[in-house]
Amino acid sequence: MFQGQVLLIENLKERRQVMCDMLAQERFQVGVVEDARDAVQLLAGDLFSAQVPELVICNARVLGDAGLETLARWCAHHPDVPVILYAAFTSPKLRERMARIPGACVLEPSSDLEDLRSAALSLATSRQTGL
């Protein structure tokens, strides 16, 4: 079950910890999924406890093609939940798949933690003011 404001899908321990710390500094409650199988199961089964997250941040390379397809379907069912996709290394195929996720904010491979923090704050703020 997921609990928190932000769903973070990241398999690399060091990056995951840095991102969790950064999000916690911004006062987000973070729920973490560390592998593709758990992420796909969560998104496909809608296994969120009390509520869906307010923001999803995902390393697109973790999910692979099947996981990105599941994320696209989940986003179509939850169009009000912003999604940030990133990948340190991409191929044209992966970039194309990321771009097809409805409403997703796709960060460039050269983006850094500050870019991610800014995007998360901007999307979270726009969601709160849009309600």
Side-chain angles (χ1 to χ4, degrees):
M1 294 287 183
F2 169 82
Q3 294 182 1
Q5 294 172 297
V6 177
L7 170 60
L8 174 63
I9 302 170
E10 174 57 68
N11 64 330
L12 298 175
K13 183 179 179 180
E14 295 81 18
R15 186 183 301 157
R16 186 173 58 244
Q17 187 60 54
V18 168
M19 293 171 81
C20 284
D21 291 347
M22 179 267 306
L23 291 164
Q25 277 188 314
E26 299 298 338
R27 306 211 191 293
F28 287 109
Q29 295 174 338
V30 183
V32 176
V33 177
E34 299 176 10
D35 65 45
R37 183 181 314 135
D38 290 345
V40 170
Q41 183 179 15
L42 181 68
L43 295 168
D46 212 19
L47 300 173
F48 298 97
S49 56
Q51 63 185 28
V52 296
E54 295 177 22
L55 175 65
V56 175
I57 301 174
C58 179
N59 180 343
R61 292 185 62 83
V62 171
L63 292 182
D65 288 343
L68 286 173
E69 185 63 36
T70 302
L71 179 60
R73 285 192 303 272
W74 188 87
C75 288
H77 284 76
H78 302 280
D80 57 325
V81 179
V83 174
I84 299 173
L85 290 172
Y86 64 91
F89 304 101
T90 62
S91 66
K93 180 182 175 187
L94 179 58
R95 298 291 298 166
E96 179 184 326
R97 298 288 307 223
M98 291 167 66
R100 289 194 306 221
I101 304 293
C105 170
V106 178
L107 296 180
E108 294 297 318
S110 61
S111 298
D112 60 14
L113 190 61
E114 180 58 30
D115 296 325
L116 179 67
R117 186 189 71 76
S118 294
L121 288 173
S122 175
L123 290 170
T125 300
S126 68
R127 183 172 192 264
Q128 289 172 357
T129 58
L131 298 177

